[in-house]
Amino acid sequence: MSSAARIARLEQENADLGAELASVKQQLDWFKRQLFGEKSERRLDIDPALQRSLFERFDVAVPPEKSAETETITYQRRKKQRDHAVNDSGLRFDDSVPREVIVVTDPVIDSLAESERDKIGEKVTYRLAQRPGSHVVLEYRLPVYKRRDNGKIITAQAPVNVLERTATDVSLLAGLLIDKFAWHLPLYRQHQRLQQAGIQVSRASLTTWSNRAIDLLAPIVEAQYRHILQSRVLAMDETPIKAGRQQRGKLRQAYLWPLYGDADEIVFRYAPTRAHHHVQDWLKDFAGTLLSDGYEAYAAYARNNPGVTHAQCWSHCRRHFEQAQESDAAASEALTLIGGLYRHEQIIRDQALAGADKLAYRSRHSEPIAQAFWAWCDEQCHRLDLRPQDPLSKALTYAGSRKASLQVFLGDPEVAIDTNHLERSLRPVPMGKKSWLFCWTEIGAERVGIIQSLLVTCRLHGVDPYVYLVDVLQRVGMHPASGVIELTPREWKTRFAADPLKSDLSRFDR
């Protein structure tokens, strides 16, 4: 090999090593940011001159950002009411635990004349009830009588319980579920709280009661799932969860797949993997617009189902350019253009535009910015200094390969510009994992999906989850199976919220 060829080879190797080093540094900077830096993707310092010149260059208009305004707000807030709950089959408690006494009457016994009966004592049973923040025991006194004519012993029947043969009131069941899955308080901490209140109850009993209560709610979630599949626009995503033992000391990596319908309902479906076929399993014969991130499984489903239009998320597209701006200042231009799209979406929300008006606004204002963005991307792709491994090149490739899906929202006013509404709704799952960490079994992970489906949907519809669960847990056993859709939070809000079923504990509420 000649010296010239050897020098050329060494120069090429040096260039390759330099490129590899730059890529590793970019990855290291990204990891440092995840660990120690701000994770927000918001742009805090935008050069106004750059912003104006960029939009002027592509001859598009963008509304200015609103300046921050301050105002003084005065209001009165209703004083919070504390509710209490407690229960267990081996229930034990000391005198420090408050009790509310319920004297039970029985129509059959009351129909007997005083001369036909002699009261010989009382039968006492206990159920643990809950008010948020404290616990109380409901003491049921069931009169026991002896008939004078035949000597037969008769006892008043205790009120029907949600979980028969347990010392649990429905208020406790609702409290256990909300504390764990809405406020992320694991059962072992709830168990410690009971002990500190002077109540001895098995921790295993808390788990069993929670599981049985969730199983009662499963048909409601299935009805909500079927209704979501009828949506014209459906958003879908996936989030990891540890579920089931893989080997000693290691749990399996599984996933919850949230489906968000256009009636503001959400259902979490459990799957042991992230395989493509789960999308087909959950969506079945769905026909409409599927809104998702850039995961290939959703695009593959849309390609295989002619009745499905695939729309993708601008927020995910933006993240790639946000990560690239540290290594290439040109990425800020993409963020400025995408920011223009989002400011127009904010105007649409402020003006409450919908239907044809919303579509017309997007056509006049958002579509020119989107075309300017694609023109800018084409310019960047012709740069000679960009290498395939550069973050900006990857961002351009990500956006360019999804151009058609990213533009679906411009032609359909019902399609959102991103999946942020879905990501906000699935947030309780990753937040909860910081407290309860994992699910010991796959069945447990399925139950997490069931209860989170209802709790998140309650929040989306402004329904108090405690009132909802106390009502539905009592109603589900007597409601006709054909009308189970009426017990979903969306329907329940209009049918039963005005006069919900309550716990016996409500008798003592002041």
Side-chain angles (χ1 to χ4, degrees), residues 275-499:
H276 286 205
H277 69 84
H278 293 305
V279 180
Q280 179 68 53
D281 295 341
W282 302 140
L283 296 183
K284 296 181 172 59
D285 298 326
F286 166 74
T289 300
L290 174 63
L291 177 61
S292 73
D293 59 18
Y295 183 35
E296 174 60 23
Y298 305 112
Y301 171 80
R303 287 194 299 269
N304 296 329
N305 293 268
V308 175
T309 301
H310 188 208
Q312 294 205 37
C313 171
W314 275 92
S315 181
H316 283 81
C317 176
R318 181 189 182 281
R319 291 174 190 173
H320 289 78
F321 290 99
E322 194 273 336
Q323 294 170 6
Q325 66 176 336
E326 294 182 2
S327 60
D328 196 318
S332 297
E333 299 181 13
L335 298 177
T336 300
L337 288 165
I338 296 175
L341 292 176
Y342 274 88
R343 286 201 288 281
H344 282 302
E345 290 298 307
Q346 183 61 50
I347 292 175
I348 289 174
R349 289 191 292 270
D350 293 342
Q351 298 181 4
L353 299 180
D357 294 335
K358 184 176 181 180
L359 180 61
Y361 185 93
R362 281 178 172 175
S363 298
R364 287 195 310 270
H365 299 92
S366 299
E367 188 169 355
I369 297 179
Q371 298 307 318
F373 173 79
W374 298 121
W376 176 86
C377 288
D378 187 62
E379 285 184 5
Q380 299 302 310
C381 289
H382 288 84
R383 281 173 49 182
L384 299 179
D385 60 326
L386 273 183
R387 297 166 300 179
Q389 63 269 30
D390 288 343
L392 182 57
S393 292
K394 296 178 181 179
L396 292 168
T397 301
Y398 180 95
S401 61
R402 294 164 173 81
K403 180 177 179 180
S405 297
L406 288 171
Q407 294 192 122
V408 171
F409 85 104
L410 296 172
D412 189 339
E414 303 304 319
V415 177
I417 191 175
D418 54 34
T419 60
N420 287 352
H421 60 296
L422 173 58
E423 294 199 355
R424 287 191 295 270
S425 298
L426 65 81
R427 190 174 298 170
V429 175
M431 288 180 64
K433 289 188 299 184
K434 294 182 179 295
S435 298
W436 40 263
L437 301 180
F438 58 86
C439 298
W440 186 246
T441 64
E442 293 183 309
I443 295 177
E446 292 178 357
R447 288 179 172 136
V448 170
I450 291 172
I451 187 61
Q452 287 293 7
S453 299
L454 295 178
L455 292 180
V456 174
T457 304
C458 280
R459 179 175 60 81
L460 292 173
H461 286 270
V463 172
D464 186 332
Y466 179 82
V467 175
Y468 172 77
L469 289 179
V470 168
D471 175 275
V472 169
L473 284 172
Q474 298 176 88
R475 197 181 297 274
V476 68
M478 55 186 179
H479 200 79
S482 59
V484 67
I485 188 67
E486 298 173 357
L487 300 184
T488 60
R490 176 183 59 87
E491 289 283 341
W492 180 90
K493 181 179 179 180
T494 58
R495 294 175 182 271
F496 307 112
D499 187 22

Side-chain angles (χ1 to χ4, degrees), residues 110-301:
D110 291 342
S111 64
L112 299 175
E114 291 290 336
S115 60
E116 296 180 288
R117 62 184 184 180
D118 289 324
K119 185 175 182 179
I120 60 176
E122 282 184 338
K123 180 180 178 181
V124 178
T125 64
Y126 299 95
R127 295 177 186 173
L128 192 56
Q130 180 178 353
R131 293 187 178 102
S134 60
H135 298 83
V136 62
V137 172
L138 299 180
E139 179 179 318
Y140 291 81
R141 296 187 177 181
L142 313 176
V144 179
Y145 293 92
K146 177 181 179 182
R147 292 184 60 119
R148 291 179 179 177
D149 53 354
N150 56 17
K152 183 179 179 180
I153 304 298
I154 52 178
T155 307
Q157 296 297 314
V160 176
N161 199 8
V162 173
L163 300 183
E164 293 297 334
R165 299 184 180 180
T166 66
T168 61
D169 183 70
V170 64
S171 60
L172 177 70
L173 299 177
L176 288 175
L177 298 179
I178 292 173
D179 282 348
K180 177 172 181 179
F181 297 104
W183 308 123
H184 316 303
L185 187 68
L187 290 181
Y188 83 89
R189 295 182 190 169
Q190 298 188 50
H191 179 257
Q192 292 172 343
R193 186 171 63 182
L194 288 171
Q195 288 181 319
Q196 290 179 350
I199 301 164
Q200 299 297 321
V201 57
S202 167
R203 188 184 300 177
S205 296
L206 298 182
T207 302
T208 301
W209 297 335
S210 299
N211 291 341
R212 290 179 61 184
I214 293 175
D215 290 342
L216 291 175
L217 301 172
I220 302 176
V221 175
E222 286 302 311
Q224 184 165 286
Y225 165 63
R226 292 192 294 270
H227 184 262
I228 287 175
L229 291 183
Q230 300 173 16
S231 302
R232 196 174 75 79
V233 179
L234 187 153
M236 190 172 181
D237 202 348
E238 73 285 339
T239 184
I241 184 174
K242 296 291 185 181
R245 182 177 175 180
Q246 183 174 4
Q247 61 187 41
R248 184 178 179 85
K250 187 174 183 180
L251 296 169
R252 296 182 183 275
Q253 177 68 73
Y255 291 87
L256 287 177
W257 298 68
L259 289 80
Y260 192 113
D262 53 17
D264 286 330
E265 294 175 305
I266 190 170
V267 165
F268 293 86
R269 311 298 288 183
Y270 169 78
T273 68
R274 198 172 176 238
H276 286 205
H277 69 84
H278 293 305
V279 180
Q280 179 68 53
D281 295 341
W282 302 140
L283 296 183
K284 296 181 172 59
D285 298 326
F286 166 74
T289 300
L290 174 63
L291 177 61
S292 73
D293 59 18
Y295 183 35
E296 174 60 23
Y298 305 112
Y301 171 80

